[in-house]
Amino acid sequence: MTHSFRLRSPDVRPVPATRPSGGLAVRCTRALLSPWSRFSLLVAVLLAAAVTMLLFEPQRLLASGWPPQLTGTAAAMLFGLAYGVCTVAFVPRPLLNLAAGALFGTQAGLAAALAGTVLGAGVSFLLGRVLGQDALRTLLRGKYLKAADGLLSRHGFRSMLALRLFPGVPFAAANYCAATSRMGYPPFLLATGLGSIPNTAAYVIAGSSASSPTSPVFLAAMGFIVLSGAGAALVAWRRRHRLAGTETARPEAGGAA
C-alpha cells in the first residue's frame, strides 16, 4: 500500500509595513494628553497668570482710580470681566471687592463684583476639571482631603454654599477642590453666586464708604466682616475636632466588634 505525501509550503503572509511615524505620533499624543501632562499645563498657566498680575499690580486701582473715560454700565461690566481674570490669577477678592465699592458705589459695585466672582470661579472650575482632575484625584489620601472630596461629591451645592458663606477657605482652593471632586458645574456656579453675596456686599459697602471710616455704614460693614470671619474660624475648629474624633473612634469600634 503506497502512501503519497504532499509537502505543503508554509503559510507565509505578507507582514504589514510598520509606520514608525504614526506610532510615534500616537505615543506623543498620549503623553501630551496624560493626566500629569495636563496638570503640568494647568500649573504653567496659573503661574503665568500670577506673574502677570504681579507685574500689572491691579491694586493700583485703589490709589489712582479707574480711567475717567470709562464710566457707567460699560465700565462696571469691564471691571467685572477684569475681576474674574484677576481671581483666576490668585488676586485676593477682598481687595477687588473694596475696589468695586470705591469705584462704582454700592449697587453697581456689588453687581460687578458678583459677576466677576462667578466668572472667575467658573473659569477656575473648568481649568481644574479639564486639566487637573485626573491627576489630583490620585493624591486624595489624607483623611481631611477625602472628607472634603466626599462632601463636595455627595452634597455639592450645600457644601459649596457653606464654604462661600463662611470666609476662611481661600477662593481658589475652594474652586479647585470642587473641580477635583465629582460636583456638577451648575450647582457649583449657583452656590458660588448665592453664597458670595453677604461677604461681597460687606466689602463693597466698606469700599464705597471708606472715605468716612467713622460712619455707621462703614462700621457695620467692618463689624460684619470681623464677625463672619470669627464664626467661620469657630465652625472650622469644631468640624476639625469632630472629624478627628470620628477617625479615632472607628478603630476602637472595629476592635470591640
Side-chain angles (χ1 to χ4, degrees):
M1 187 175 185
T2 60
H3 298 277
S4 61
F5 296 94
R6 180 180 296 177
L7 296 177
R8 294 182 180 181
S9 60
D11 187 8
V12 179
R13 296 180 181 179
V15 179
T18 59
R19 297 180 179 179
S21 59
L24 180 60
V26 171
R27 289 195 296 271
C28 291
T29 302
R30 289 177 179 176
L32 291 175
L33 296 180
S34 65
W36 287 107
S37 295
R38 285 181 284 148
F39 179 71
S40 301
L41 177 61
L42 174 63
V43 172
V45 169
L46 295 180
L47 284 177
V51 171
T52 302
M53 288 298 104
L54 288 176
L55 296 176
F56 178 69
E57 296 180 355
Q59 64 272 16
R60 291 182 298 177
L61 288 174
L62 292 176
S64 58
W66 194 255
Q69 61 270 22
L70 295 176
T71 58
T73 306
M77 293 176 61
L78 182 60
F79 181 86
L81 179 61
Y83 186 115
V85 174
C86 288
T87 56
V88 176
F90 306 107
V91 176
R93 285 184 62 247
L95 176 65
L96 297 172
N97 292 331
L98 290 172
L103 295 173
F104 303 105
T106 301
Q107 295 181 357
L110 178 59
L114 286 176
T117 297
V118 176
L119 175 62
V123 173
S124 298
F125 185 93
L126 287 178
L127 287 174
R129 178 62 58 89
V130 174
L131 298 179
Q133 185 187 42
D134 294 338
L136 291 176
R137 287 197 67 82
T138 62
L139 302 178
L140 295 176
R141 296 187 179 90
K143 60 182 180 180
Y144 297 115
L145 291 177
K146 289 183 178 180
D149 175 68
L151 287 174
L152 289 172
S153 298
R154 295 190 303 269
H155 311 288
F157 176 81
R158 184 175 63 187
S159 301
M160 183 53 58
L161 185 65
L163 288 177
R164 300 307 191 191
L165 285 172
F166 293 99
V169 178
F171 184 72
N175 295 336
Y176 291 109
C177 284
T180 305
S181 71
R182 295 181 176 89
M183 183 180 183
Y185 192 61
F188 170 78
L189 292 181
L190 182 59
T192 297
L194 294 177
S196 300
I197 292 176
N199 284 282
T200 302
Y203 278 101
V204 170
I205 292 172
S208 63
S209 58
S211 57
S212 54
T214 58
S215 64
V217 175
F218 181 83
L219 294 177
M222 294 303 299
F224 178 83
I225 293 171
V226 173
L227 290 177
S228 61
L234 178 61
V235 171
W237 180 79
R238 292 186 62 181
R239 290 190 66 87
R240 178 178 179 274
H241 283 270
R242 185 180 303 174
L243 179 61
T246 303
E247 293 293 331
T248 54
R250 284 178 180 175
E252 296 176 1

